[in-house]
Amino acid sequence: MTDHEETAGESLSATLGAIARTLQAEPDVESTLAAIVKAAVEHVDGAEYAGISLVEQSRRIRTVAPTGEVVVTLDEVQYRTGQGPCLDAIADHQVHRTGDLTAETRW
C-alpha cells in the first residue's frame, strides 16, 4: 500500500466513523434517512443530489429523503419505465456507478 492509499484509507475511516456517530444521534427513521443522503452528497465525489429507493413489503418502490425534486422526478421515470440504475441496484444487490448518464448505454 502506498502512502497516498494509506492516507486516503485513514481519511475514509475517519469520515465513516463520523457519519456513524451522527446517525446514532438521529431521533427517528426519517431524520436518519435525511442524514444518510446529506452525507452521500457531501462525501461522494460528483454527487449533487441523493435519495433512497425504499422497497416496501408490497414490493412497491418509493423514494424517501430526496435532497431535491429532481431526485423524485428521475426516480419516478425509472419506476414508470421499469429500468434505470436504482432499479438495477435493487435487483442486482450492488452499486451501479457511472460518471455521465448521458453517455451511459445501460439505461
Side-chain angles (χ1 to χ4, degrees):
M1 179 180 295
T2 68
D3 288 342
H4 176 70
E5 290 171 331
E6 189 171 328
T7 302
E10 290 171 3
S11 176
L12 178 59
S13 293
T15 299
L16 292 175
I19 291 169
R21 285 187 294 282
T22 299
L23 294 177
Q24 286 178 324
E26 296 300 333
D28 54 37
V29 173
E30 290 79 19
S31 297
T32 301
L33 296 174
I36 289 169
V37 295
K38 181 177 185 261
V41 171
E42 290 174 353
H43 298 287
V44 175
D45 286 341
E48 294 180 43
Y49 301 97
I52 296 172
S53 296
L54 180 66
V55 182
E56 298 179 325
Q57 285 184 331
S58 65
R59 304 293 296 156
R60 179 179 169 266
I61 303 170
R62 67 183 175 99
T63 303
V64 296
T67 58
E69 193 58 35
V70 67
V71 175
V72 175
T73 301
L74 291 173
D75 281 356
E76 286 174 355
V77 170
Q78 291 181 77
Y79 306 153
R80 189 174 60 251
T81 62
Q83 64 179 347
C86 295
L87 296 181
D88 283 359
I90 290 167
D92 300 342
H93 297 277
Q94 60 179 268
V95 173
H96 293 280
R97 189 175 181 127
T98 183
D100 181 1
L101 284 174
T102 62
E104 180 61 59
T105 60
R106 290 179 284 189
W107 308 288

mmCIF file of all heavy atoms in Angstrom, residues 1-14:
data_model
loop_
_atom_site.group_PDB
_atom_site.id
_atom_site.type_symbol
_atom_site.label_atom_id
_atom_site.label_comp_id
_atom_site.label_asym_id
_atom_site.label_seq_id
_atom_site.Cartn_x
_atom_site.Cartn_y
_atom_site.Cartn_z
ATOM 1 N N MET A 1 0.845 -1.171 0.000
ATOM 2 C CA MET A 1 0.000 0.000 0.000
ATOM 3 C C MET A 1 0.895 1.239 0.000
ATOM 4 O O MET A 1 1.829 1.339 0.772
ATOM 5 C CB MET A 1 -0.902 -0.030 1.238
ATOM 6 C CG MET A 1 -1.818 1.157 1.354
ATOM 7 S SD MET A 1 -2.901 1.165 2.800
ATOM 8 C CE MET A 1 -3.926 -0.234 2.506
ATOM 9 N N THR A 2 0.549 2.197 -0.868
ATOM 10 C CA THR A 2 1.331 3.431 -0.926
ATOM 11 C C THR A 2 0.930 4.355 0.210
ATOM 12 O O THR A 2 -0.110 4.182 0.845
ATOM 13 C CB THR A 2 1.108 4.156 -2.268
ATOM 14 O OG1 THR A 2 -0.238 4.629 -2.318
ATOM 15 C CG2 THR A 2 1.391 3.248 -3.454
ATOM 16 N N ASP A 3 1.771 5.370 0.449
ATOM 17 C CA ASP A 3 1.446 6.365 1.479
ATOM 18 C C ASP A 3 0.133 7.070 1.161
ATOM 19 O O ASP A 3 -0.669 7.330 2.053
ATOM 20 C CB ASP A 3 2.570 7.396 1.610
ATOM 21 C CG ASP A 3 3.811 6.817 2.272
ATOM 22 O OD1 ASP A 3 3.701 5.755 2.928
ATOM 23 O OD2 ASP A 3 4.885 7.419 2.130
ATOM 24 N N HIS A 4 -0.079 7.368 -0.142
ATOM 25 C CA HIS A 4 -1.314 8.039 -0.554
ATOM 26 C C HIS A 4 -2.535 7.164 -0.260
ATOM 27 O O HIS A 4 -3.544 7.649 0.262
ATOM 28 C CB HIS A 4 -1.271 8.387 -2.043
ATOM 29 C CG HIS A 4 -2.550 8.983 -2.555
ATOM 30 N ND1 HIS A 4 -2.974 10.241 -2.214
ATOM 31 C CD2 HIS A 4 -3.506 8.472 -3.365
ATOM 32 C CE1 HIS A 4 -4.137 10.483 -2.791
ATOM 33 N NE2 HIS A 4 -4.478 9.422 -3.496
ATOM 34 N N GLU A 5 -2.456 5.876 -0.590
ATOM 35 C CA GLU A 5 -3.575 4.951 -0.342
ATOM 36 C C GLU A 5 -3.837 4.814 1.158
ATOM 37 O O GLU A 5 -4.986 4.768 1.594
ATOM 38 C CB GLU A 5 -3.288 3.579 -0.953
ATOM 39 C CG GLU A 5 -3.320 3.562 -2.465
ATOM 40 C CD GLU A 5 -2.824 2.252 -3.043
ATOM 41 O OE1 GLU A 5 -1.976 1.589 -2.417
ATOM 42 O OE2 GLU A 5 -3.295 1.899 -4.135
ATOM 43 N N GLU A 6 -2.772 4.763 1.931
ATOM 44 C CA GLU A 6 -2.923 4.640 3.382
ATOM 45 C C GLU A 6 -3.591 5.890 3.962
ATOM 46 O O GLU A 6 -4.508 5.800 4.776
ATOM 47 C CB GLU A 6 -1.556 4.419 4.035
ATOM 48 C CG GLU A 6 -1.653 4.068 5.506
ATOM 49 C CD GLU A 6 -0.304 3.645 6.066
ATOM 50 O OE1 GLU A 6 0.500 3.071 5.330
ATOM 51 O OE2 GLU A 6 -0.101 3.912 7.261
ATOM 52 N N THR A 7 -3.165 7.067 3.498
ATOM 53 C CA THR A 7 -3.768 8.322 3.960
ATOM 54 C C THR A 7 -5.234 8.401 3.551
ATOM 55 O O THR A 7 -6.086 8.794 4.349
ATOM 56 C CB THR A 7 -2.994 9.534 3.393
ATOM 57 O OG1 THR A 7 -1.633 9.442 3.815
ATOM 58 C CG2 THR A 7 -3.587 10.846 3.857
ATOM 59 N N ALA A 8 -5.541 8.015 2.316
ATOM 60 C CA ALA A 8 -6.922 8.034 1.838
ATOM 61 C C ALA A 8 -7.774 7.065 2.651
ATOM 62 O O ALA A 8 -8.912 7.376 3.006
ATOM 63 C CB ALA A 8 -6.984 7.680 0.355
ATOM 64 N N GLY A 9 -7.232 5.899 2.968
ATOM 65 C CA GLY A 9 -7.959 4.915 3.775
ATOM 66 C C GLY A 9 -8.240 5.426 5.175
ATOM 67 O O GLY A 9 -9.331 5.235 5.713
ATOM 68 N N GLU A 10 -7.262 6.086 5.770
ATOM 69 C CA GLU A 10 -7.445 6.662 7.106
ATOM 70 C C GLU A 10 -8.494 7.764 7.067
ATOM 71 O O GLU A 10 -9.333 7.872 7.960
ATOM 72 C CB GLU A 10 -6.116 7.195 7.636
ATOM 73 C CG GLU A 10 -5.126 6.104 7.978
ATOM 74 C CD GLU A 10 -3.737 6.633 8.286
ATOM 75 O OE1 GLU A 10 -3.549 7.873 8.297
ATOM 76 O OE2 GLU A 10 -2.846 5.817 8.513
ATOM 77 N N SER A 11 -8.468 8.583 6.018
ATOM 78 C CA SER A 11 -9.439 9.657 5.871
ATOM 79 C C SER A 11 -10.849 9.092 5.708
ATOM 80 O O SER A 11 -11.801 9.582 6.327
ATOM 81 C CB SER A 11 -9.081 10.522 4.661
ATOM 82 O OG SER A 11 -10.060 11.508 4.462
ATOM 83 N N LEU A 12 -10.986 8.059 4.882
ATOM 84 C CA LEU A 12 -12.286 7.424 4.689
ATOM 85 C C LEU A 12 -12.795 6.821 5.989
ATOM 86 O O LEU A 12 -13.968 6.968 6.346
ATOM 87 C CB LEU A 12 -12.211 6.355 3.595
ATOM 88 C CG LEU A 12 -13.505 5.587 3.325
ATOM 89 C CD1 LEU A 12 -14.620 6.529 2.909
ATOM 90 C CD2 LEU A 12 -13.269 4.514 2.276
ATOM 91 N N SER A 13 -11.911 6.162 6.726
ATOM 92 C CA SER A 13 -12.303 5.571 8.009
ATOM 93 C C SER A 13 -12.795 6.638 8.977
ATOM 94 O O SER A 13 -13.806 6.457 9.661
ATOM 95 C CB SER A 13 -11.125 4.829 8.640
ATOM 96 O OG SER A 13 -10.792 3.713 7.873
ATOM 97 N N ALA A 14 -12.092 7.749 9.032
ATOM 98 C CA ALA A 14 -12.495 8.844 9.920
ATOM 99 C C ALA A 14 -13.840 9.414 9.494
ATOM 100 O O ALA A 14 -14.713 9.678 10.328
ATOM 101 C CB ALA A 14 -11.425 9.935 9.922
#
